[in-house]
């Protein structure tokens, strides 16, 4: 079944791009309606109204929260405050039954502060470098590690890590800020075919799942093939409970500047996610572009 379904036909890709057109409109509407004083579920309702006008459904329960550091946080009851970063992971399913899965993160009030901008641009760099590395034959495990290296390099310059970048990635210390996988296949299911067995979909005889915290949650590690569609969704999160637990046991303390991490309580999380087709020579981001750079997000939020 995995061999049958993991190479998408042109018709399947067209269905995913149809889903992405509506998902993109939902994300833009969320950017434009996330003002201080608005409750998260009011924005969720605006997004879902756009989708329901097509008689379509969500591909998975929306994550829309100023507490973006809580992964798979499905509560929508916070009041948005000026200066918050809000994380929106929302995608609909097309009429033909194909999923989309998009994440954007933006500042309530429409302007990133300096710290948010620096960390946001590291996540954007992680995502763009990962997308550029995608081509047939490349193991997604190695693309994940590339994204982690880009993060550690950028965050070391801001004082969060110290030591050799590769060592920090190989030890798993990096996962204090990026504790999930870079992505997964997508198609008729948002986590495509994982109901058949996650390892059957994401791993094979040549690539084993890592036992490390963080990397062990990578759903897709095996070599990529032309025709696969997958998500590229790196992030940086400041999770107070995780930081406190690791600090208490002194985990990776030779690499992690815990004092710097402790300053970040309340910052939240940043994730940027697109759906990407593996082509014969590289990759193509599916759908029309959805605002993603700092400048694009600030401009759309001013409208
Ligand atoms: N969209 C949520 C996830 O990929 O887990
Ligand atoms: Mn996803």
């Amino acid at each position: 079944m995995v061999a049958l379904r993991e190479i998408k036909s042109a018709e399947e890709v067209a269905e995913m791009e149809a889903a992405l057109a509506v998902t993109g409109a939902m994300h833009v509407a969320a950017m434009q309606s996330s003002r201080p004083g608005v409750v998260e579920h009011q924005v969720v309702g605006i997004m879902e109204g756009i989708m329901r006008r097509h008689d379509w459904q969500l591909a998975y329960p929306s994550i829309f929260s100023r507490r973006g550091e809580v992964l798979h946080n499905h509560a929508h009851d916070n009041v948005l405050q000026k200066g918050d970063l809000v994380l929106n992971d929302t995608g609909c399913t097309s009429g033909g039954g194909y999923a989309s899965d998009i994440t954007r993160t933006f500042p309530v009030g429409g302007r990133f502060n300096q710290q948010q901008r620096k960390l946001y641009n590291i996540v954007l760099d992680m995502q763009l470098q990962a997308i550029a590395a995608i081509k047939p034959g490349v193991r997604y495990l190695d693309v994940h590690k590339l994204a982690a290296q880009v993060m550690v390099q950028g965050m070391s310059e801001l004082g969060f890590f110290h030591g050799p970048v590769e060592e920090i990635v190989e030890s798993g210390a990096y996962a204090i800020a990026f504790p999930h996988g870079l992505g997964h296949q997508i198609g008729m299911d948002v986590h495509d075919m994982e109901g058949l067995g996650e390892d059957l979909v994401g791993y094979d005889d040549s690539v084993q799942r890592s036992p490390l915290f963080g990397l062990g949650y990578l759903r897709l590690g095996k070599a990529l093939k032309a025709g696969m569609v997958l998500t590229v969704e790196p992030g940086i999160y400041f999770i107070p409970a995780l930081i406190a637990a690791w600090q208490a046991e002194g985990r990776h303390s030779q690499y992690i500047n815990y004092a710097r991490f402790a300053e970040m309580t309340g910052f939240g999380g940043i994730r940027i996610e697109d759906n990407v087709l593996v082509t014969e020579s590289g990759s193509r981001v599916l759908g029309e572009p959805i605002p993603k750079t700092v400048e694009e997000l600030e401009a759309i939020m001013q409208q």
Side-chain angles (χ1 to χ4, degrees), residues 235-252:
I236 292 178
Y237 313 86
F238 295 97
I239 306 168
L242 179 65
I243 294 166
W246 280 28
Q247 182 169 23
E249 62 180 70
R251 199 189 290 203
H252 299 303

Side-chain angles (χ1 to χ4, degrees), residues 273-290:
E273 174 176 27
D274 284 303
N275 304 161
V276 175
L277 170 69
V278 184
T279 63
E280 295 294 339
S281 59
S283 71
R284 179 168 78 80
V285 177
L286 295 182
E288 291 298 314
I290 302 166

Side-chain angles (χ1 to χ4, degrees), residues 89 101 184 190-191 231 233 273:
D89 183 343
D101 183 2
H184 50 85
V190 61
H191 290 178
T231 69
E233 48 179 312
E273 174 176 27

Side-chain angles (χ1 to χ4, degrees), residues 31-32 34-36 81-86 105-118 120-121 267 270 293-303:
M31 290 163 194
Q32 294 183 324
S34 292
R35 289 183 297 275
Q81 316 276 346
K82 190 170 191 303
D84 284 344
L85 279 181
V86 60
T105 307
F106 50 85
V108 177
R111 292 262 179 244
F112 287 85
N113 68 31
Q114 247 200 355
Q115 176 162 258
Q116 289 169 341
R117 179 185 302 252
K118 283 183 184 161
Y120 185 89
N121 279 329
F267 180 93
I270 300 167
T293 65
V294 164
E295 294 72 26
E296 288 164 354
L297 289 168
E298 290 189 343
I300 202 93
M301 294 187 74
Q302 303 310 315
Q303 285 175 13

